[in-house]
Amino acid sequence: MSLAHSILGFLNYEKITGYDLAKAFQSSVQFFWHAQKSQIYPALNALEEKGFAAHETIVQKGRPNKKLYCITEKGREELFRWLSGGGVQALDDFKSAFLVRVFFSGNTEPEQGIRLFARFLEDCEKALVRMESIPADIERYAAIAPGDAPLYWQFTAEFGYSYLKMCIAWAESCIAKLEEIR
Amino acid sequence: MSLAHSILGFLNYEKITGYDLAKAFQSSVQFFWHAQKSQIYPALNALEEKGFAAHETIVQKGRPNKKLYCITEKGREELFRWLSGGGVQALDDFKSAFLVRVFFSGNTEPEQGIRLFARFLEDCEKALVRMESIPADIERYAAIAPGDAPLYWQFTAEFGYSYLKMCIAWAESCIAKLEEIR
DNA sequence: AGGCTCATGTAACCGGTTACATGATTAT
DNA sequence: ATAATCATGTAACCGGTTACATGAGCCT
Protein backbone atom coordinates (compact mmCIF):
# COMPACT_ATOMS: atom_id res chain seq x y z
CA MET A 1 0.00 0.00 0.00
CA SER A 2 1.50 3.28 -1.14
CA LEU A 3 -0.68 5.69 0.83
CA ALA A 4 0.77 4.70 4.19
CA HIS A 5 4.28 4.79 2.82
CA SER A 6 3.93 8.14 1.14
CA ILE A 7 2.63 9.54 4.43
CA LEU A 8 5.73 8.10 6.10
CA GLY A 9 7.74 9.79 3.35
CA PHE A 10 6.29 13.19 4.23
CA LEU A 11 6.63 12.57 7.98
CA ASN A 12 10.29 11.84 7.34
CA TYR A 13 10.74 15.42 6.11
CA GLU A 14 9.07 17.14 9.08
CA LYS A 15 6.37 16.98 11.72
CA ILE A 16 3.03 17.64 10.12
CA THR A 17 -0.74 17.55 10.73
CA GLY A 18 -3.25 15.55 8.72
CA TYR A 19 -4.64 18.79 7.39
CA ASP A 20 -1.27 19.94 6.06
CA LEU A 21 -0.50 16.47 4.77
CA ALA A 22 -3.54 16.74 2.54
CA LYS A 23 -2.16 19.99 1.17
CA ALA A 24 1.29 18.48 0.76
CA PHE A 25 -0.17 15.69 -1.35
CA GLN A 26 -1.99 18.21 -3.49
CA SER A 27 0.98 20.43 -4.11
CA SER A 28 3.56 17.74 -4.81
CA VAL A 29 2.69 14.19 -5.79
CA GLN A 30 -0.84 14.95 -6.98
CA PHE A 31 0.13 14.23 -10.59
CA PHE A 32 0.79 10.57 -9.83
CA TRP A 33 -0.87 10.01 -6.44
CA HIS A 34 -4.03 11.39 -4.79
CA ALA A 35 -5.04 11.32 -1.14
CA GLN A 36 -8.20 12.72 0.44
CA LYS A 37 -8.56 13.86 4.00
CA SER A 38 -11.03 11.05 4.59
CA GLN A 39 -8.21 8.63 3.81
CA ILE A 40 -5.41 10.46 5.52
CA TYR A 41 -6.91 10.72 9.00
CA PRO A 42 -7.68 7.00 9.38
CA ALA A 43 -4.33 6.17 7.78
CA LEU A 44 -2.53 8.25 10.42
CA ASN A 45 -4.39 6.39 13.16
CA ALA A 46 -3.39 3.10 11.59
CA LEU A 47 0.25 4.18 11.37
CA GLU A 48 0.17 5.12 15.03
CA GLU A 49 -1.35 1.78 16.03
CA LYS A 50 1.46 0.00 14.22
CA GLY A 51 4.01 2.16 16.00
CA PHE A 52 5.23 3.83 12.80
CA ALA A 53 4.11 7.32 13.86
CA ALA A 54 3.25 9.28 17.00
CA HIS A 55 1.42 12.51 17.66
CA GLU A 56 1.25 15.38 20.11
CA THR A 57 -1.90 17.47 20.44
CA ILE A 58 -1.44 21.20 20.08
CA VAL A 59 -4.13 23.18 21.82
CA GLN A 60 -5.13 26.34 20.00
CA LYS A 61 -7.40 29.24 20.85
CA GLY A 62 -10.04 30.37 18.41
CA ARG A 63 -9.40 27.48 16.08
CA PRO A 64 -9.55 23.68 16.37
CA ASN A 65 -6.79 21.83 18.16
CA LYS A 66 -4.41 19.99 15.90
CA LYS A 67 -2.44 16.78 16.03
CA LEU A 68 1.18 17.08 15.02
CA TYR A 69 2.48 13.75 13.75
CA CYS A 70 6.07 12.61 13.61
CA ILE A 71 7.69 9.44 12.33
CA THR A 72 9.15 6.91 14.78
CA GLU A 73 12.36 4.94 14.38
CA LYS A 74 10.26 1.89 13.52
CA GLY A 75 8.41 3.95 10.93
CA ARG A 76 11.64 5.14 9.36
CA GLU A 77 12.81 1.54 9.10
CA GLU A 78 9.55 0.59 7.41
CA LEU A 79 9.89 3.48 4.97
CA PHE A 80 13.42 2.47 3.94
CA ARG A 81 12.40 -1.17 3.73
CA TRP A 82 9.65 -0.14 1.33
CA LEU A 83 11.89 2.14 -0.72
CA SER A 84 14.45 -0.59 -1.29
CA GLY A 85 11.69 -3.17 -1.53
CA GLY A 86 11.09 -5.86 -4.09
CA GLY A 87 7.56 -5.81 -5.47
CA VAL A 88 8.01 -3.00 -7.98
CA GLN A 89 5.66 -3.90 -10.85
CA ALA A 90 5.99 -0.35 -12.14
CA LEU A 91 4.08 -0.88 -15.36
CA ASP A 92 1.28 -3.10 -14.08
CA ASP A 93 -0.57 -0.26 -12.39
CA PHE A 94 -0.88 1.79 -15.58
CA LYS A 95 -4.55 2.38 -16.25
CA SER A 96 -6.38 4.74 -18.56
CA ALA A 97 -10.10 5.08 -19.18
CA PHE A 98 -9.19 7.47 -21.97
CA LEU A 99 -7.30 4.78 -23.90
CA VAL A 100 -10.26 2.43 -23.45
CA ARG A 101 -12.37 5.07 -25.15
CA VAL A 102 -9.86 5.41 -27.97
CA PHE A 103 -9.71 1.63 -28.38
CA PHE A 104 -13.47 1.35 -28.90
CA SER A 105 -13.94 4.48 -31.01
CA GLY A 106 -13.59 2.53 -34.26
CA ASN A 107 -17.14 2.94 -35.45
CA THR A 108 -17.63 6.58 -34.79
CA GLU A 109 -17.12 9.30 -37.38
CA PRO A 110 -13.53 10.54 -37.88
CA GLU A 111 -14.73 13.97 -36.71
CA GLN A 112 -15.63 12.52 -33.33
CA GLY A 113 -12.25 10.89 -33.03
CA ILE A 114 -10.59 14.18 -33.85
CA ARG A 115 -12.65 15.93 -31.17
CA LEU A 116 -11.66 13.26 -28.64
CA PHE A 117 -7.95 13.73 -29.33
CA ALA A 118 -8.28 17.51 -29.53
CA ARG A 119 -9.79 17.68 -26.05
CA PHE A 120 -7.04 15.41 -24.78
CA LEU A 121 -4.42 17.61 -26.40
CA GLU A 122 -5.91 20.66 -24.73
CA ASP A 123 -5.84 18.97 -21.31
CA CYS A 124 -2.19 18.04 -21.82
CA GLU A 125 -1.21 21.55 -22.81
CA LYS A 126 -3.01 23.02 -19.80
CA ALA A 127 -1.18 20.54 -17.57
CA LEU A 128 2.13 21.57 -19.16
CA VAL A 129 1.42 25.21 -18.30
CA ARG A 130 0.58 24.27 -14.72
CA MET A 131 3.96 22.52 -14.51
CA GLU A 132 5.89 25.72 -15.13
CA SER A 133 5.93 26.64 -11.45
CA ILE A 134 7.43 23.33 -10.36
CA PRO A 135 11.17 24.15 -10.59
CA ALA A 136 10.60 27.18 -8.35
CA ASP A 137 8.54 25.06 -5.92
CA ILE A 138 11.29 22.48 -5.70
CA GLU A 139 13.88 25.11 -4.95
CA ARG A 140 11.69 26.64 -2.27
CA TYR A 141 11.32 23.34 -0.42
CA ALA A 142 14.88 22.15 -1.04
CA ALA A 143 15.98 23.71 2.27
CA ILE A 144 13.87 21.46 4.53
CA ALA A 145 14.64 18.30 2.60
CA PRO A 146 17.43 15.97 3.65
CA GLY A 147 19.84 14.30 1.23
CA ASP A 148 19.18 14.25 -2.49
CA ALA A 149 15.42 14.76 -2.17
CA PRO A 150 15.22 17.71 -4.59
CA LEU A 151 17.03 15.66 -7.26
CA TYR A 152 14.44 12.91 -6.99
CA TRP A 153 11.58 15.42 -6.97
CA GLN A 154 13.07 16.75 -10.19
CA PHE A 155 13.13 13.23 -11.62
CA THR A 156 9.39 12.87 -11.10
CA ALA A 157 8.77 16.35 -12.53
CA GLU A 158 10.81 15.43 -15.60
CA PHE A 159 8.74 12.30 -15.94
CA GLY A 160 5.59 14.41 -15.97
CA TYR A 161 7.08 16.78 -18.49
CA SER A 162 8.24 13.99 -20.83
CA TYR A 163 4.92 12.23 -20.45
CA LEU A 164 2.91 15.29 -21.45
CA LYS A 165 5.23 16.04 -24.37
CA MET A 166 4.85 12.45 -25.54
CA CYS A 167 1.06 12.59 -25.20
CA ILE A 168 0.90 15.80 -27.22
CA ALA A 169 3.03 14.42 -30.04
CA TRP A 170 0.99 11.20 -30.06
CA ALA A 171 -2.38 12.98 -30.11
CA GLU A 172 -1.21 15.24 -32.93
CA SER A 173 -0.15 12.27 -35.03
CA CYS A 174 -3.50 10.54 -34.38
CA ILE A 175 -5.37 13.65 -35.46
CA ALA A 176 -3.23 13.89 -38.60
CA LYS A 177 -4.06 10.30 -39.51
CA LEU A 178 -7.76 10.87 -38.93
CA GLU A 179 -7.72 14.00 -41.06
CA GLU A 180 -6.23 11.97 -43.89
CA ILE A 181 -9.13 9.53 -44.00
CA ARG A 182 -11.82 12.16 -43.47
CA MET B 1 -17.46 3.27 -15.04
CA SER B 2 -15.24 1.92 -17.82
CA LEU B 3 -15.59 -1.79 -17.17
CA ALA B 4 -19.22 -1.94 -18.25
CA HIS B 5 -18.53 0.19 -21.29
CA SER B 6 -15.52 -1.76 -22.41
CA ILE B 7 -17.60 -4.94 -22.17
CA LEU B 8 -20.20 -3.24 -24.36
CA GLY B 9 -17.35 -2.35 -26.71
CA PHE B 10 -16.39 -6.01 -27.08
CA LEU B 11 -20.02 -7.14 -27.39
CA ASN B 12 -20.35 -4.63 -30.20
CA TYR B 13 -17.76 -6.61 -32.18
CA GLU B 14 -19.37 -10.02 -31.75
CA LYS B 15 -21.36 -12.34 -29.48
CA ILE B 16 -19.12 -13.60 -26.74
CA THR B 17 -19.09 -15.50 -23.43
CA GLY B 18 -17.80 -14.15 -20.13
CA TYR B 19 -14.98 -16.63 -20.32
CA ASP B 20 -13.84 -15.42 -23.74
CA LEU B 21 -14.34 -11.80 -22.67
CA ALA B 22 -11.76 -12.34 -19.96
CA LYS B 23 -9.34 -13.58 -22.60
CA ALA B 24 -10.20 -10.69 -24.90
CA PHE B 25 -9.33 -8.24 -22.14
CA GLN B 26 -6.04 -10.00 -21.55
CA SER B 27 -4.98 -10.08 -25.17
CA SER B 28 -5.96 -6.54 -26.12
CA VAL B 29 -6.53 -3.76 -23.61
CA GLN B 30 -4.58 -5.37 -20.78
CA PHE B 31 -1.85 -2.72 -21.01
CA PHE B 32 -4.26 0.02 -19.93
CA TRP B 33 -7.22 -1.85 -18.46
CA HIS B 34 -7.57 -5.06 -16.46
CA ALA B 35 -10.67 -7.14 -15.83
CA GLN B 36 -10.94 -10.35 -13.82
CA LYS B 37 -13.53 -13.05 -14.30
CA SER B 38 -14.91 -12.26 -10.86
CA GLN B 39 -15.73 -8.79 -12.15
CA ILE B 40 -16.88 -9.75 -15.61
CA TYR B 41 -19.60 -12.21 -14.66
CA PRO B 42 -21.44 -9.88 -12.27
CA ALA B 43 -20.94 -7.00 -14.72
CA LEU B 44 -22.62 -9.03 -17.48
CA ASN B 45 -25.58 -9.69 -15.17
CA ALA B 46 -25.82 -5.99 -14.40
CA LEU B 47 -25.72 -5.10 -18.09
CA GLU B 48 -28.51 -7.55 -18.73
CA GLU B 49 -30.61 -6.12 -15.90
CA LYS B 50 -30.27 -2.68 -17.41
CA GLY B 51 -31.28 -4.02 -20.81
CA PHE B 52 -27.91 -3.29 -22.41
CA ALA B 53 -27.13 -6.93 -23.14
CA ALA B 54 -28.91 -10.28 -23.54
CA HIS B 55 -27.77 -13.88 -23.48
CA GLU B 56 -28.67 -17.27 -24.86
CA THR B 57 -27.54 -20.43 -23.10
CA ILE B 58 -25.67 -22.90 -25.23
CA VAL B 59 -25.92 -26.44 -23.91
CA GLN B 60 -22.77 -28.46 -24.36
CA LYS B 61 -21.86 -32.10 -23.76
CA GLY B 62 -18.78 -33.01 -21.81
CA ARG B 63 -18.12 -29.42 -20.82
CA PRO B 64 -20.02 -26.71 -18.95
CA ASN B 65 -22.85 -24.90 -20.66
CA LYS B 66 -22.04 -21.41 -21.74
CA LYS B 67 -23.86 -18.10 -21.96
CA LEU B 68 -23.40 -16.27 -25.23
CA TYR B 69 -23.95 -12.56 -24.71
CA CYS B 70 -24.91 -10.02 -27.32
CA ILE B 71 -25.41 -6.27 -27.18
CA THR B 72 -28.94 -4.82 -27.45
CA GLU B 73 -29.96 -1.69 -29.33
CA LYS B 74 -30.20 0.11 -25.99
CA GLY B 75 -26.72 -1.10 -25.12
CA ARG B 76 -25.32 0.15 -28.41
CA GLU B 77 -26.86 3.56 -27.74
CA GLU B 78 -25.28 3.62 -24.30
CA LEU B 79 -21.89 2.68 -25.77
CA PHE B 80 -22.00 5.49 -28.32
CA ARG B 81 -23.25 7.93 -25.71
CA TRP B 82 -20.25 7.04 -23.60
CA LEU B 83 -17.78 7.23 -26.48
CA SER B 84 -18.90 10.73 -27.41
CA GLY B 85 -19.36 11.58 -23.75
CA GLY B 86 -18.14 14.58 -21.85
CA GLY B 87 -16.39 13.56 -18.62
CA VAL B 88 -13.02 12.75 -20.12
CA GLN B 89 -10.53 13.70 -17.40
CA ALA B 90 -7.87 11.79 -19.28
CA LEU B 91 -4.95 12.84 -17.08
CA ASP B 92 -6.63 12.68 -13.67
CA ASP B 93 -6.56 8.90 -13.52
CA PHE B 94 -2.81 8.69 -13.96
CA LYS B 95 -1.36 6.92 -10.94
CA SER B 96 2.01 5.39 -10.24
CA ALA B 97 3.27 3.78 -7.07
CA PHE B 98 6.66 3.65 -8.77
CA LEU B 99 6.88 7.45 -9.04
CA VAL B 100 5.90 7.73 -5.37
CA ARG B 101 8.89 5.56 -4.60
CA VAL B 102 11.13 7.72 -6.75
CA PHE B 103 9.79 10.87 -5.11
CA PHE B 104 10.72 9.68 -1.62
CA SER B 105 14.05 8.05 -2.48
CA GLY B 106 15.98 11.22 -1.65
CA ASN B 107 17.82 9.91 1.36
CA THR B 108 18.89 6.57 0.07
CA GLU B 109 22.30 5.92 -1.45
CA PRO B 110 22.74 6.79 -5.16
CA GLU B 111 23.42 3.09 -5.77
CA GLN B 112 19.95 2.22 -4.56
CA GLY B 113 18.40 4.83 -6.84
CA ILE B 114 20.34 3.43 -9.76
CA ARG B 115 19.09 -0.06 -8.97
CA LEU B 116 15.51 1.24 -8.77
CA PHE B 117 15.73 2.84 -12.22
CA ALA B 118 17.65 -0.10 -13.67
CA ARG B 119 14.91 -2.52 -12.66
CA PHE B 120 12.31 -0.16 -14.14
CA LEU B 121 14.31 0.06 -17.36
CA GLU B 122 14.43 -3.71 -17.59
CA ASP B 123 10.65 -3.97 -17.13
CA CYS B 124 10.12 -1.41 -19.88
CA GLU B 125 12.38 -3.20 -22.29
CA LYS B 126 10.67 -6.51 -21.62
CA ALA B 127 7.31 -4.85 -22.26
CA LEU B 128 8.64 -3.43 -25.53
CA VAL B 129 9.62 -6.92 -26.66
CA ARG B 130 6.17 -8.25 -25.77
CA MET B 131 4.67 -5.51 -27.94
CA GLU B 132 6.34 -6.82 -31.08
CA SER B 133 3.48 -9.21 -31.82
CA ILE B 134 0.81 -6.51 -31.70
CA PRO B 135 0.79 -5.38 -35.36
CA ALA B 136 0.24 -8.99 -36.43
CA ASP B 137 -2.51 -9.41 -33.82
CA ILE B 138 -4.29 -6.30 -35.06
CA GLU B 139 -4.19 -7.53 -38.64
CA ARG B 140 -5.54 -10.92 -37.62
CA TYR B 141 -8.58 -9.40 -35.90
CA ALA B 142 -9.11 -6.62 -38.44
CA ALA B 143 -11.49 -8.86 -40.38
CA ILE B 144 -14.18 -9.10 -37.67
CA ALA B 145 -13.98 -5.46 -36.72
CA PRO B 146 -16.36 -2.93 -38.19
CA GLY B 147 -15.38 0.56 -39.33
CA ASP B 148 -12.01 2.01 -38.42
CA ALA B 149 -11.51 -0.19 -35.37
CA PRO B 150 -8.01 -1.42 -36.39
CA LEU B 151 -6.85 2.18 -36.82
CA TYR B 152 -7.89 3.02 -33.27
CA TRP B 153 -6.36 -0.18 -31.94
CA GLN B 154 -3.16 0.96 -33.61
CA PHE B 155 -3.45 4.33 -31.92
CA THR B 156 -3.49 2.70 -28.49
CA ALA B 157 -0.59 0.45 -29.47
CA GLU B 158 1.39 3.47 -30.61
CA PHE B 159 0.64 5.11 -27.28
CA GLY B 160 2.09 2.11 -25.49
CA TYR B 161 5.14 2.12 -27.71
CA SER B 162 5.78 5.86 -27.26
CA TYR B 163 5.19 5.55 -23.54
CA LEU B 164 7.74 2.79 -23.12
CA LYS B 165 10.30 4.60 -25.27
CA MET B 166 9.80 7.72 -23.19
CA CYS B 167 10.15 5.78 -19.94
CA ILE B 168 13.37 4.19 -21.15
CA ALA B 169 14.93 7.51 -22.17
CA TRP B 170 13.84 9.07 -18.87
CA ALA B 171 15.19 6.24 -16.72
CA GLU B 172 18.51 6.34 -18.59
CA SER B 173 18.87 10.07 -17.98
CA CYS B 174 18.07 9.61 -14.28
CA ILE B 175 20.70 6.89 -14.00
CA ALA B 176 23.23 9.12 -15.75
CA LYS B 177 22.58 11.94 -13.26
CA LEU B 178 22.89 9.57 -10.32
CA GLU B 179 26.16 8.19 -11.65
CA GLU B 180 27.53 11.73 -11.79
CA ILE B 181 26.96 12.33 -8.08
CA ARG B 182 28.09 8.88 -6.98
C1' DA C 1 -24.62 38.22 4.48
C1' DG C 2 -21.94 34.68 2.26
C1' DG C 3 -18.15 32.06 1.61
C1' DC C 4 -13.48 30.55 2.62
C1' DT C 5 -9.87 28.72 5.94
C1' DC C 6 -8.58 25.95 9.80
C1' DA C 7 -8.99 21.19 11.66
C1' DT C 8 -10.81 16.73 12.60
C1' DG C 9 -13.31 13.15 11.49
C1' DT C 10 -17.57 9.42 10.16
C1' DA C 11 -20.61 6.74 6.98
C1' DA C 12 -22.17 4.90 2.85
C1' DC C 13 -20.85 3.34 -1.23
C1' DC C 14 -18.23 1.56 -5.18
C1' DG C 15 -14.79 -0.76 -7.87
C1' DG C 16 -11.22 -4.10 -7.86
C1' DT C 17 -8.36 -8.09 -6.01
C1' DT C 18 -7.71 -12.64 -4.08
C1' DA C 19 -9.19 -16.80 -2.78
C1' DC C 20 -12.44 -20.36 -2.99
C1' DA C 21 -15.73 -23.80 -5.29
C1' DT C 22 -17.18 -27.20 -8.87
C1' DG C 23 -16.30 -30.82 -12.25
C1' DA C 24 -15.59 -33.00 -16.73
C1' DT C 25 -12.11 -33.14 -20.56
C1' DT C 26 -7.78 -32.95 -22.74
C1' DA C 27 -2.91 -32.50 -23.23
C1' DT C 28 1.86 -33.62 -21.34
C1' DA D 1 -0.27 -38.93 -12.64
C1' DT D 2 -0.57 -33.97 -13.13
C1' DA D 3 -1.77 -29.87 -14.91
C1' DA D 4 -4.17 -27.01 -17.87
C1' DT D 5 -8.50 -25.82 -20.31
C1' DC D 6 -13.39 -24.97 -20.38
C1' DA D 7 -17.06 -22.39 -17.91
C1' DT D 8 -19.52 -20.34 -14.31
C1' DG D 9 -19.72 -18.07 -10.33
C1' DT D 10 -19.52 -16.48 -4.72
C1' DA D 11 -17.41 -14.29 -0.57
C1' DA D 12 -14.32 -11.66 1.97
C1' DC D 13 -11.63 -8.00 1.85
C1' DC D 14 -9.33 -3.63 0.68
C1' DG D 15 -8.54 0.94 -1.07
C1' DG D 16 -10.61 5.02 -2.67
C1' DT D 17 -14.46 8.48 -3.50
C1' DT D 18 -18.28 11.36 -2.13
C1' DA D 19 -21.05 13.30 1.02
C1' DC D 20 -21.96 14.70 5.56
C1' DA D 21 -20.98 16.91 10.27
C1' DT D 22 -19.07 20.49 13.39
C1' DG D 23 -17.87 25.23 14.59
C1' DA D 24 -14.98 29.36 15.30
C1' DG D 25 -12.71 33.06 12.78
C1' DC D 26 -11.66 35.88 8.82
C1' DC D 27 -12.18 38.10 4.41
C1' DT D 28 -15.07 40.49 0.78
Side-chain angles (χ1 to χ4, degrees), chain B:
Chain B
M1 208 234 298
S2 290
L3 174 69
H5 291 103
S6 50
I7 289 178
L8 287 178
F10 282 120
L11 290 181
N12 192 39
Y13 293 148
E14 52 174 348
K15 290 184 179 182
I16 193 168
T17 63
Y19 188 83
D20 287 327
L21 256 177
K23 287 203 279 184
F25 270 94
Q26 254 199 342
S27 65
S28 62
V29 298
Q30 124 275 20
F31 178 67
F32 48 90
W33 203 266
H34 318 284
Q36 272 78 31
K37 285 179 261 170
S38 57
Q39 276 184 281
I40 289 170
Y41 290 120
L44 281 168
N45 283 331
L47 284 174
E48 205 164 16
E49 258 174 51
K50 283 179 193 158
F52 295 154
H55 85 269
E56 44 179 326
T57 303
I58 293 182
V59 180
Q60 298 187 124
K61 304 163 192 167
R63 51 186 54 189
N65 297 342
K66 56 178 166 183
K67 295 182 176 178
L68 242 193
Y69 283 87
C70 67
I71 195 168
T72 63
E73 200 41 53
K74 203 177 156 199
R76 200 169 272 117
E77 274 164 32
E78 173 59 25
L79 174 62
F80 289 129
R81 197 201 55 68
W82 179 73
L83 286 174
S84 66
V88 191
Q89 62 203 126
L91 293 163
D92 292 1
D93 65 353
F94 187 87
K95 227 179 173 194
S96 169
F98 171 70
L99 287 176
V100 176
R101 222 174 265 221
V102 172
F103 188 87
F104 290 112
S105 288
N107 33 15
T108 62
E109 299 294 313
E111 277 79 12
Q112 193 177 311
I114 290 171
R115 270 200 305 277
L116 182 65
F117 287 115
R119 245 178 304 163
F120 177 65
L121 236 168
E122 222 180 286
D123 287 354
C124 291
E125 263 150 9
K126 273 182 200 159
L128 256 189
V129 172
R130 264 178 276 134
M131 282 196 70
E132 278 168 15
S133 62
I134 292 180
D137 292 340
I138 290 181
E139 228 171 291
R140 192 157 1 107
Y141 289 105
I144 354 162
D148 300 320
L151 215 209
Y152 285 85
W153 298 347
Q154 225 177 298
F155 287 160
T156 60
E158 271 157 21
F159 182 97
Y161 186 79
S162 306
Y163 181 70
L164 291 173
K165 284 282 185 182
M166 176 245 122
C167 287
I168 288 168
W170 170 75
E172 278 169 352
S173 94
C174 294
I175 289 173
K177 279 169 198 158
L178 286 172
E179 248 150 20
E180 259 177 59
I181 64 158
R182 193 173 52 175

Side-chain angles (χ1 to χ4, degrees), chain A residues 7-49:
Chain A
I7 290 178
L8 287 178
F10 282 119
L11 290 181
N12 192 38
Y13 293 149
E14 52 175 348
K15 289 183 181 187
I16 194 167
T17 64
Y19 189 80
D20 288 328
L21 255 176
K23 288 204 278 184
F25 271 95
Q26 254 198 340
S27 64
S28 62
V29 297
Q30 126 274 22
F31 177 68
F32 48 90
W33 202 265
H34 319 283
Q36 272 78 31
K37 285 180 259 171
S38 56
Q39 274 184 283
I40 289 170
Y41 290 119
L44 282 168
N45 283 331
L47 284 174
E48 205 163 18
E49 257 174 51

Side-chain angles (χ1 to χ4, degrees), chain A:
Chain A
M1 209 232 299
S2 291
L3 174 69
H5 291 103
S6 48
I7 290 178
L8 287 178
F10 282 119
L11 290 181
N12 192 38
Y13 293 149
E14 52 175 348
K15 289 183 181 187
I16 194 167
T17 64
Y19 189 80
D20 288 328
L21 255 176
K23 288 204 278 184
F25 271 95
Q26 254 198 340
S27 64
S28 62
V29 297
Q30 126 274 22
F31 177 68
F32 48 90
W33 202 265
H34 319 283
Q36 272 78 31
K37 285 180 259 171
S38 56
Q39 274 184 283
I40 289 170
Y41 290 119
L44 282 168
N45 283 331
L47 284 174
E48 205 163 18
E49 257 174 51
K50 282 181 194 158
F52 295 156
H55 85 271
E56 45 179 326
T57 303
I58 293 184
V59 179
Q60 298 188 125
K61 303 163 192 167
R63 52 185 53 188
N65 297 342
K66 54 180 168 181
K67 294 183 177 177
L68 244 194
Y69 283 87
C70 67
I71 194 168
T72 62
E73 199 42 53
K74 203 176 156 197
R76 200 169 272 118
E77 273 163 32
E78 173 59 25
L79 174 62
F80 290 129
R81 196 201 54 70
W82 179 73
L83 286 173
S84 65
V88 192
Q89 62 203 129
L91 292 163
D92 292 1
D93 66 355
F94 186 88
K95 226 179 173 194
S96 168
F98 170 71
L99 286 177
V100 175
R101 224 175 263 221
V102 173
F103 188 87
F104 290 113
S105 287
N107 32 15
T108 63
E109 299 294 310
E111 277 79 11
Q112 192 176 314
I114 290 171
R115 272 199 306 279
L116 182 67
F117 287 115
R119 246 178 303 162
F120 177 66
L121 235 170
E122 222 181 285
D123 288 354
C124 290
E125 263 150 9
K126 274 182 199 157
L128 255 189
V129 172
R130 264 178 276 134
M131 282 197 71
E132 278 169 14
S133 62
I134 291 179
D137 291 341
I138 290 181
E139 228 171 293
R140 194 160 356 110
Y141 288 105
I144 355 164
D148 301 319
L151 216 207
Y152 284 86
W153 298 346
Q154 226 177 298
F155 287 160
T156 61
E158 271 156 21
F159 182 98
Y161 186 79
S162 306
Y163 181 70
L164 291 174
K165 283 282 184 181
M166 176 243 119
C167 286
I168 288 168
W170 170 75
E172 279 168 351
S173 94
C174 293
I175 289 174
K177 278 170 199 157
L178 286 172
E179 249 149 21
E180 257 178 59
I181 64 157
R182 191 172 55 176

